[in-house]
Amino acid sequence: MRPPPGASAGIREAATDSLLAGLVAMALAFPLLGFHLIDSATGLTLGTRFGWVAAAGLAVAGGRFALKLIPWRPIPLPAVALPHGRPAFGWTMIGLAAALPFLPFAGRNLMDKATLVLIYVMLGWGLNIVVGLAGLLDLGFVGFYAVGAYAYALLAQYFHLSFWLCLPLAGLFAATFGLALGFPVLRLRGDYLAIVTLGFGQMIRIVLQNWQDLTGGPRGISGIPRPTLFGLAFAPEHRIVFLYFIILALALLTNLLALRLRRLPVGRAWEALREDETACRSLGLDPTAIKLSAFATGAMCAGFAGAFFATRQGFVSPESFTFMESAVILAIVVLGGMGSQIGVVLAALLLVGLPEWFRDLQQYRMLAFGGAMVLIMLWKPSGLMSGRSPTIRLGGGG
């Protein structure tokens, strides 16, 4: 049998494209994988790993050739698009999270990883208000996270206030910084807004790094007190569980706040602003107040998470609040599905929990992070939970 008329041309095109992709991959992998340092008795010497470079090129070329020849369509996942199944799924996840410390395999390592995931879930829900509901692209969200952490650290160090007193103050300080960011960007949209918020986040980190008399500069602040329960301190093995339940409660309160605000007039105003600011203004809504409320609410949630981060670590420094943190939080919101609360949880489990499990593999840890992002974008380009239920239904739908 002779192949179809266009089959040979398609194969040649796929082979040429995959060859070019392989060569580009080899060029990029040459300085990254082709050389490594060898520690020997005579000192450090430079070794080569050109086989790794060739393997990277072959892997990319083979993958590209397969993608060009195999018809690819995003795989639909109807199970997560059922609106009536989400409440049950959400309550199931809450029940599993509450029962996690009592399971037989829940050791210290697992509890630490679960606590870290919940921190990013809380941050993702806070940023989801700004990006997912209000449609304001914020690349400096980690700045509010840093404000909350340093607010608790400084209040505990200089005024000897407890965690429970500092927690609302940290949220208040972060919300104030959110308002301070909101005023200069009132007339900005899209990429311009993203650039300004990115600069704002970097400014906060640089101030924390250089104001050594107050923040300790690069040395940070150590000796941050741990939270207590009615003045009772916990042993180290019990404190891990106590911290886990604190961040679980804070995350659930953040989720409840976001869900309730979404159903209030301010939440509908955020969604109207996201869809069309001009139409929003023509309806008599004030975009200034809407933007400021979104920035302040999201920043307040980040401030709460920052205060918990400080008390969990017992130490804060500017290196904990780099742009990479903002990128991870934004990736959680986008890959989970804009405006989806459950999507944020699933994306945090994949993008934070999965790399943590690969931490022992060191150089392959970020490979797991990148692989999770690529798989999500291939399977669900608009996010894991892209089919979000409407805020309000007309015609008696509830």
Side-chain angles (χ1 to χ4, degrees):
M1 292 181 60
R2 299 182 61 184
S8 300
I11 294 175
R12 284 196 300 270
E13 181 183 356
T16 303
D17 188 70
S18 60
L19 179 61
L20 291 176
L23 292 175
V24 171
M26 292 179 63
L28 294 175
F30 183 76
L32 299 175
L33 302 178
F35 303 94
H36 68 116
L37 293 177
I38 302 175
D39 191 4
S40 60
T42 58
L44 293 176
T45 58
L46 186 65
T48 59
R49 295 184 300 200
F50 296 144
W52 289 31
V53 177
L58 289 175
V60 171
R64 185 67 177 174
F65 187 75
L67 287 175
K68 293 290 287 186
L69 289 184
I70 301 175
W72 175 261
R73 289 181 298 176
I75 301 176
L77 299 178
V80 299
L82 296 176
H84 297 293
R86 292 190 184 183
F89 181 63
W91 284 110
T92 302
M93 294 184 69
I94 293 174
L96 291 175
L100 180 62
F102 307 104
L103 298 178
F105 55 84
R108 181 188 180 98
N109 187 30
L110 177 61
M111 296 307 301
D112 278 336
K113 288 181 171 62
T115 302
L116 180 64
V117 170
L118 283 175
I119 292 176
Y120 279 93
V121 168
M122 186 174 177
L123 290 169
W125 279 338
L127 184 60
N128 201 24
I129 295 175
V130 183
V131 178
L133 296 183
L136 304 171
L137 184 56
D138 188 354
L139 295 181
F141 196 70
V142 72
F144 308 128
Y145 185 38
V147 169
Y150 271 88
Y152 170 61
L154 294 173
L155 288 173
Q157 184 179 63
Y158 290 104
F159 298 97
H160 307 289
L161 299 179
S162 68
F163 170 76
W164 303 108
L165 289 176
C166 293
L167 183 63
L169 294 177
L172 180 61
F173 285 134
T176 304
F177 273 80
L179 292 175
L181 170 63
F183 277 109
V185 301
L186 290 177
R187 297 182 178 274
L188 299 179
R189 303 182 189 180
D191 298 339
Y192 303 101
L193 174 63
I195 292 172
V196 172
T197 55
L198 171 62
F200 184 82
Q202 294 303 305
M203 285 169 55
I204 291 179
R205 187 181 64 83
I206 292 172
V207 168
L208 294 175
Q209 192 165 4
N210 289 279
W211 198 353
Q212 299 191 18
D213 295 337
L214 180 66
T215 65
R219 299 189 308 274
I221 301 175
S222 59
I224 301 174
R226 307 289 188 174
T228 59
L229 183 63
F230 300 110
L232 299 176
F234 289 86
E237 61 272 14
H238 297 148
R239 186 172 61 233
I240 298 173
V241 179
F242 181 54
L243 289 173
Y244 172 80
F245 278 116
I246 290 177
I247 187 58
L248 178 60
L250 289 175
L252 291 178
L253 287 175
T254 303
N255 182 40
L256 179 63
L257 174 68
L259 292 177
R260 295 303 300 170
L261 287 177
R262 232 189 85 189
R263 290 169 172 82
L264 293 176
V266 64
R268 298 172 190 173
W270 288 339
E271 293 182 320
L273 178 70
R274 178 192 64 198
E275 298 301 330
D276 193 325
E277 182 174 341
T278 304
C280 175
R281 192 186 301 270
S282 67
L283 291 174
L285 300 176
D286 184 7
T288 299
I290 298 172
K291 290 182 180 180
L292 292 180
S293 63
F295 275 119
T297 306
M300 180 183 65
C301 298
F304 291 151
F308 175 81
F309 172 80
T311 193
R312 173 181 178 258
Q313 298 293 112
F315 169 78
V316 291
S317 70
E319 298 304 318
S320 301
F321 309 103
T322 60
F323 169 71
M324 184 61 185
E325 296 297 315
S326 284
V328 171
I329 301 168
L330 182 63
I332 289 172
V333 174
V334 174
L335 298 180
M338 302 283 277
S340 172
Q341 299 292 95
I342 297 180
V344 168
V345 178
L346 297 178
L349 286 171
L350 285 174
L351 298 184
V352 179
L354 186 63
E356 285 299 315
W357 283 109
F358 283 87
R359 182 176 286 275
D360 294 337
L361 300 180
Q362 295 180 356
Q363 57 185 337
Y364 301 106
R365 175 171 169 261
M366 294 310 293
L367 181 63
F369 178 83
M373 293 185 66
V374 171
L375 289 176
I376 293 174
M377 285 292 96
L378 286 176
W379 283 338
K380 298 289 288 183
S382 54
L384 291 173
M385 302 289 286
S386 55
R388 187 172 58 84
S389 59
T391 300
I392 184 172
R393 293 183 176 89
L394 302 178

